[in-house]
Amino acid sequence: MVERMVVVGGDAAGMSAASQARRLRDRDDLEIVAFERGHFTSYSACGIPYWVSGLVPERDQLVARDPATFRDKFDIDVRLRHEVTAIDLDRREVVARDLERGGEARTGFDTLVYATGATPIQPEWARGGVAGVFGMQTLDDGTALLDWLEREPRPRRAVVVGGGYIGVEMAEALLHHGLPVDLVEQADQPMSTVDPDMGELVAEAMRGTGIGIRAGLTVTGLDERDGRIAAVVTDEGPIPADVVVLGLGVRPNVALATAAGLPLGPSGAIRVDRRMRVPGADGVWAAGDCVESLHRVSGMPMHIPLGTHANKQGRVAGINIGGGYATFPGVIGTAVTKVCDLEVGRTGLRERDATAAGFEFVTVLAESTNRAGYYPGARPMTVKLIAERPSGRLLGAQIVGWSEAAKRIDALAVALWNNMTVDEMTALDLGYAPPYAPVWDPVLIAARKAVDALSHGGR
């Protein structure tokens, strides 16, 4: 008999699982149905700020594969604008609502892939539906924002609430539209994904671009006038705004999973094993921003929603469903971003993460340049390393700098992945030429400094 695989969620994880399973099994053996409540499949949400800014001219450039490609090339039945509203594990069925024509239908499954992603954090004050206030998670969100920016009367001042990746990237995007931008952040500086000392470097650079950093403020509400946003209200007073973008982070989208009785882990995301199977639920797999992953350094389950993880996890699930064998080995939280010309990279544990995990450690900051100091275009770069004491094992790293800064984090991520010590790192054979690095690369300078700190018993 032909088995049926049902995928809930048509973006990175879900469609990676579907296409990988199809590569291993043909339609005579496996039927694949994918439900997606939005208008698009397999698109780059990470690219939305660059499309909004105009750096990427067309929305469709962010779409990796459209439904027609999945149908024609992979024989996958993609059902757009269909929202799964219930999962019945006893009857092995999903209930899906047609958002365009109305009505609900049940679809049976032998294998289920839960890939619902994450949902934006939306505080109570943001739930009133004030015109001119936007989340930024889907292509539809980007379309709505761009329409608002072109609508009369055109916005004259923007506020971004939240200083994470989306917040800082959207602040830059709005600058490209010629708007004065204030970024409101409850913490003492933006970019809480790095330590405060590195976050302050980001804040300083953002101020240099003209972005107003309003740190240490708590947003308490929104003011509107004539049905449009007029101000963001904080505990220190209102901040005028004609357009507001929310970048307050995300939570795993587990409402359906919880209702179906699927297990959640301590992070609040779905618990899975290394093959992406959901324990205690026969034939049910999960992948992407809705699941938790093992952090390879701390050994703790974490929810780290990144597209790189989602694609890899979906591929692993698809290989296993297709009859192969694959495992997902965990994460170390490597990520990069940019704010105008400033680049930021991080991997592994921050200081507070290392403390929470019970490590004794030293930290060092190394100041260097991205190129040989005499070569045109040399700019400063700061590298921070966190190393276990007394072993010297690398626990985490952060980089803030200009051109050629962020992708240096990859060398540190490889060292971290392979449990290298900072002493071993001092001998890494990294590329050198004056246009690309000093003779002692900033990574090597930081490693040497960490070895010195360990030998002198410093922190």
Side-chain angles (χ1 to χ4, degrees), residues 143-396:
T143 298
L145 174 60
L146 286 171
D147 288 345
W148 183 263
L149 293 175
E150 296 298 321
R151 187 182 306 173
E152 297 292 345
R154 294 199 177 188
R156 293 173 298 175
R157 185 162 198 94
V159 170
V160 176
V161 183
Y165 293 117
I166 289 295
V168 298
E169 290 165 3
M170 287 306 303
E172 176 186 352
L174 292 166
L175 275 185
H176 280 271
H177 286 269
L179 294 172
V181 181
D182 284 312
L183 186 143
V184 180
E185 169 58 47
Q186 191 171 27
D188 291 336
Q189 74 284 310
M191 293 300 293
S192 63
T193 54
V194 297
D195 286 322
D197 49 359
M198 301 294 275
E200 181 53 38
L201 297 177
V202 178
E204 181 181 348
M206 292 179 70
R207 293 187 189 100
T209 70
I211 297 172
I213 303 297
R214 309 292 291 271
L217 299 187
T218 299
V219 175
T220 58
L222 302 171
D223 272 350
E224 58 180 303
R225 185 179 302 116
D226 300 325
R228 297 167 59 98
I229 184 67
V232 172
V233 181
T234 77
D235 54 355
E236 294 187 8
I239 302 173
D242 306 299
V243 59
V244 174
V245 174
L246 305 178
L248 295 166
V250 297
R251 294 190 180 98
N253 186 354
V254 295
L256 282 173
T258 302
L262 299 180
L264 304 184
S267 69
I270 299 171
R271 187 157 52 90
V272 291
D273 66 14
R274 287 167 56 88
R275 299 184 70 194
M276 308 312 298
R277 296 175 298 193
V278 179
D282 184 47
V284 179
W285 309 71
D289 290 354
C290 58
V291 307
E292 67 179 18
S293 303
L294 176 70
H295 198 290
R296 288 171 60 94
V297 181
S298 70
M300 300 168 64
M302 306 285 289
H303 178 242
I304 303 180
L306 290 172
T308 51
H309 304 158
N311 278 286
K312 293 170 189 172
Q313 291 169 347
R315 180 177 182 273
V316 167
I319 289 172
N320 289 311
I321 292 168
Y325 183 88
T327 60
F328 183 72
V331 301
I332 55 176
T334 307
V336 295
T337 191
K338 76 176 200 68
V339 188
C340 297
D341 292 331
L342 185 76
E343 301 181 3
V344 185
R346 55 97 64 208
T347 189
L349 305 181
R350 299 163 296 184
E351 287 189 50
R352 58 185 178 273
D353 302 324
T355 299
F359 288 107
E360 293 289 329
F361 58 90
V362 300
T363 64
V364 295
L365 288 175
E367 306 286 344
S368 184
T369 55
N370 58 338
R371 305 170 186 175
Y374 55 80
Y375 192 87
R379 301 288 299 275
M381 181 186 307
T382 302
V383 180
K384 179 173 186 174
L385 298 187
I386 302 171
E388 185 181 27
R389 189 167 52 192
S391 71
R393 177 169 66 112
L394 183 66
L395 298 177

Side-chain angles (χ1 to χ4, degrees), residues 91-108:
R91 297 178 62 174
R92 303 195 72 74
E93 292 177 338
V94 300
V95 180
R97 178 187 301 125
D98 187 329
L99 299 177
E100 298 290 346
R101 292 182 291 271
E104 289 186 340
R106 288 180 172 267
T107 303

Side-chain angles (χ1 to χ4, degrees), residues 413-424:
V414 171
L416 191 70
W417 188 272
N418 289 284
N419 296 312
M420 291 184 70
T421 66
V422 288
D423 188 45
E424 292 169 330

